[in-house]
Amino acid sequence: MSKILISIVGPTAIGKTALSIQLAKHFKTEIISADSRQFYKEMQIGTAAPASEELQAAKHHFIRHKSIKDNYNVGDFEKDALQTLDALFKIHDIVIMVGGSGLYVDAVTKGLDYFPEVDQSIRETLNKELETSGLTVLQNKLKTLDIQSYNTIAIDNPHRVIRALEICMGTGKPYSFFLKKDKINRPFKTVTVGLTADREVIYKRINQRVDMMIDEGLLEEAKNLYKYKSLNALNTVGYKELFNYFDGIWPLDFAISEIKKNTRRFAKRQLTWFKKDESIIWFQFETEQKVIIDTLVKLIL
C-alpha cells in the first residue's frame, strides 16, 4: 500500500477540524495543520485554533508551535511539514492534513513555485507607496497588472500584494504566470476532500463564529497583542480590525462588522483557490462523516 496524505480543504468555519479528527480516529493516525493562522501560540481565539479537547482527541502537528515574533514563512513550513510527514509515514500508511491556507496546502502537496530575482528597489518603492497612498492603490495596480492574482491571493495582506506586484513589475509578466509549472512528485499520494456549502450558509456560519469569538474573549486577546500589531503575523483578519478600534479609528460594533465582512471575503478567495483543483472530491458540509469515510476507504483500499 502506498503512503497516502488525506488533505481536507474548504472555506473557513465549514467544519474541517471536526472532520479531520474523525478521519484521524478512523484511520488511527495523526493530523498536520496547514492553517498558517494557527501556527502562533499567542493567537488562539481569533484563529479558531483547535480547542484542548480537540487536540487531545487526535495528535496534531503545527498548531501553536511558533511565536508571533518568529520569522516563519511558507518555505519553512514546506520543509518542516515534509520532514514531519517522512517521520509519520514510517509509522502510519495514512496521514491527515487540514487547513484553509491554499498556498500552504499546495506547498506540501505540489511544491512551491519559484520566481525570478527582481530588483530590490521595486519592493522599496512599493513599500513607500503603501505608506503614502495606502493598500487600495496597490490593490488596484495589481488588479490592472494581474487580475488572476488579484482574485486569488490574500488581497487584504499588503505583503502578499507587494510580493505579487514586484514580480509583475520586475519581470514584465503576471505573478500568476510563474504559477504555471509542472507538479513536483511527492513520495506519497494525496487524496483531497473539500467541504463546501451555499454561499449564504457559509456567510451565516462565519457571522456566528465571529460572534462566538467575541463571546469567548477575542477582544481581550487582541488587546494583549496590540503592542505587537506591526508584526506580520498580526496583519490578520480578526485582529487588525480590533486594532483600529483600540486606535480610536472605528467604534467596536463597526470593527466587529468589518471582521465578519473581511472573513467572508477571505472565504470567497479560499473557494476560488480550491475550485481550480479539479482533483478535489467535494462534499456538502452537512454530509455525514461516515459517508465521507466510506468514500475514502473505497478510494484508498
Side-chain angles (χ1 to χ4, degrees):
M1 179 180 177
S2 60
K3 303 297 182 178
I4 295 172
L5 178 68
I6 298 176
S7 177
I8 305 169
V9 301
T12 188
I14 200 68
K16 297 185 297 294
T17 297
L19 176 60
S20 71
I21 291 170
Q22 289 306 309
L23 290 181
K25 286 181 175 180
H26 178 83
F27 291 109
K28 297 180 172 56
T29 189
E30 301 177 25
I31 299 171
I32 282 182
S33 172
D35 189 322
S36 61
R37 289 160 37 94
Q38 295 179 358
F39 293 162
Y40 302 105
K41 58 189 176 184
E42 298 91 344
M43 299 162 64
Q44 164 72 26
I45 300 171
T47 63
S52 56
E53 58 268 23
E54 291 174 316
L55 294 174
Q56 291 168 8
K59 187 169 182 181
H60 287 68
H61 302 266
F62 303 102
I63 294 287
R64 291 166 24 214
H65 70 301
K66 291 291 178 181
S67 169
I68 55 174
K69 300 174 187 176
D70 294 331
N71 289 317
Y72 195 69
N73 59 36
V74 66
D76 298 323
F77 174 70
E78 179 189 24
K79 177 172 63 69
D80 292 347
L82 290 175
Q83 287 177 349
T84 301
L85 280 172
D86 185 56
L88 290 177
F89 279 134
K90 287 181 170 63
I91 309 167
H92 307 284
D93 289 325
I94 298 171
V95 176
I96 312 299
M97 181 168 73
V98 60
S101 303
L103 181 63
Y104 285 72
V105 171
D106 284 358
V108 175
T109 60
K110 303 174 184 177
L112 284 174
D113 297 286
Y114 292 95
F115 300 89
E117 291 291 326
V118 296
D119 193 327
Q120 179 67 29
S121 65
I122 297 174
R123 179 177 292 191
E124 293 170 0
T125 299
L126 289 168
N127 279 322
K128 288 178 183 174
E129 192 170 357
L130 175 66
E131 290 179 15
T132 57
S133 303
L135 181 58
T136 302
V137 171
L138 297 184
Q139 291 171 334
N140 289 334
K141 186 176 291 189
L142 181 61
K143 189 174 185 179
T144 301
L145 294 175
D146 186 0
I147 187 64
Q148 183 177 335
S149 292
Y150 176 85
N151 286 329
T152 55
I153 70 167
I155 201 69
D156 295 326
N157 185 327
H159 298 276
R160 296 274 173 87
V161 174
I162 287 172
R163 176 58 176 157
L165 275 175
E166 69 176 351
I167 294 296
C168 293
M169 297 166 64
T171 66
K173 296 179 180 179
Y175 176 84
S176 54
F177 170 84
F178 297 97
L179 305 179
K180 300 169 184 173
K181 62 171 184 55
D182 293 333
K183 181 179 175 181
I184 292 175
N185 288 323
R186 296 298 195 200
F188 52 83
K189 177 184 176 183
T190 300
V191 177
T192 306
V193 170
L195 292 181
T196 190
D198 292 339
R199 184 164 294 178
E200 296 76 18
V201 174
I202 295 172
Y203 288 177
K204 181 179 179 182
R205 288 173 67 87
I206 286 170
N207 293 341
Q208 290 172 339
R209 173 178 277 185
V210 172
D211 288 337
M212 191 181 303
M213 287 175 172
I214 296 297
D215 290 343
E216 290 173 350
L218 177 58
L219 199 63
E220 188 65 27
E221 182 175 84
K223 191 177 297 181
N224 291 334
L225 295 172
Y226 175 75
K227 59 185 175 183
Y228 304 112
K229 68 176 184 174
S230 62
L231 294 178
N232 186 42
L234 285 166
N235 185 32
T236 299
V237 175
Y239 297 92
K240 60 184 181 180
E241 296 86 355
L242 291 177
F243 295 155
N244 279 341
Y245 162 63
F246 298 143
D247 285 333
I249 299 172
W250 292 344
L252 180 57
D253 286 350
F254 183 74
I256 293 172
S257 71
E258 285 295 291
I259 294 174
K260 293 176 179 178
K261 181 183 78 175
N262 290 332
T263 305
R264 294 193 298 268
R265 286 177 173 174
F266 176 57
K268 184 179 178 181
R269 289 196 303 274
Q270 287 175 304
L271 283 170
T272 300
W273 180 291
F274 292 124
K275 290 292 185 181
K276 293 183 298 178
D277 188 343
E278 295 180 357
S279 70
I280 296 176
I281 306 161
W282 289 98
F283 293 93
Q284 286 293 309
F285 81 107
E286 291 177 316
T287 304
E288 288 186 21
Q289 292 172 346
K290 183 181 183 302
V291 172
I292 298 175
I293 291 171
D294 288 347
T295 302
L296 286 168
V297 168
K298 289 176 184 175
L299 279 171
I300 292 168
L301 301 179

